[in-house]
Amino acid sequence: MSPDAKHPASSPLSPTELLAGKNLLLLGTTGFLAKVMLSMLLERFALGKIYCLVRSQRSKSARERFVDEVLGSEMMEPLRRAFGPSFDAYIDEKVVVVDGDASKPNLGASEEVLAELFREVDLILNSAGLVTFNPPLDDALEINSIGALEIARFAAQTRGKRVVHISTCYVAGNRSGHIR
């Protein structure tokens, strides 16, 4: 079957239609790219839920980090202005914060949360990764390589079985241009 037969020109790609009612899992939530994506997704698409994986820290829970680092960021200002006083209610309706770690098996999520994620997630958007330019090799491998493997393993168990992987660090070595 030719590529054109699979995707005829009469049916253009429509992210609005493809994402309508879908539940997404966003990884790398506290990073710049994911904050922008989250804001735009919430503002522009009629999604179901967006599950946001956030790693808790010694001093902050995943929810506290989400509120401080994501909702408190300037990337949320356009959404905050658009929704005005209903912003918090809209976030509570659409976003579920999940405590976890993308480099761990099953994303380090609890058993009760895992069942919901496997049952509900249609698409994973992964922008999680270590973006420092000279990290210790062990750290870089664990987060950027092993993390990607764990995410793929996790995705295979979800109902959607789909991952969009976004990487902004060391994506093409020293070469420039489009590289397959």
Side-chain angles (χ1 to χ4, degrees), residues 153-171:
R153 287 178 176 155
F154 180 85
Q157 299 174 77
T158 64
R159 82 174 174 189
K161 298 180 183 0
R162 291 182 171 90
V163 177
V164 174
H165 179 79
I166 303 159
S167 179
T168 58
C169 188
Y170 298 120
V171 294

Side-chain angles (χ1 to χ4, degrees), residues 17-167:
E17 289 176 22
L18 288 171
L19 294 175
K22 298 291 193 252
N23 297 317
L24 309 181
L25 173 59
L26 182 62
L27 307 176
T29 305
T30 58
F32 175 79
L33 227 88
K35 289 178 200 175
V36 172
M37 277 192 297
L38 178 62
S39 180
M40 292 176 77
L41 286 166
L42 288 168
E43 183 179 17
R44 300 176 184 189
F45 294 92
L47 298 167
K49 296 274 186 196
I50 301 179
Y51 296 89
C52 293
L53 189 77
V54 178
R55 187 177 54 241
S56 59
Q57 296 176 330
R58 287 186 196 111
S59 61
K60 286 186 180 181
S61 69
R63 180 74 188 171
E64 290 169 329
R65 284 193 69 205
F66 179 78
V67 169
D68 292 349
E69 298 175 35
V70 179
L71 294 184
S73 73
E74 66 183 86
M75 278 64 85
M76 289 294 142
E77 286 309 310
L79 188 64
R80 197 176 289 282
R81 281 193 301 276
F83 281 88
S86 62
F87 174 79
D88 290 332
Y90 183 66
I91 295 298
D92 289 343
E93 174 190 337
K94 290 293 185 179
V95 175
V96 177
V97 178
V98 175
D99 186 358
D101 184 332
S103 67
K104 305 290 183 218
N106 286 323
L107 307 182
S110 68
E111 288 298 320
E112 53 275 4
V113 171
L114 279 177
E116 180 177 349
L117 293 174
F118 291 153
R119 184 179 64 250
E120 298 296 330
V121 169
D122 297 298
L123 173 66
I124 297 171
L125 296 174
N126 176 36
S127 69
L130 187 60
V131 295
T132 55
F133 288 101
N134 293 309
L137 183 57
D138 290 354
D139 291 347
L141 284 173
E142 179 179 349
I143 295 167
N144 294 339
S145 297
I146 295 171
L149 177 61
E150 291 300 339
I151 292 162
R153 287 178 176 155
F154 180 85
Q157 299 174 77
T158 64
R159 82 174 174 189
K161 298 180 183 0
R162 291 182 171 90
V163 177
V164 174
H165 179 79
I166 303 159
S167 179

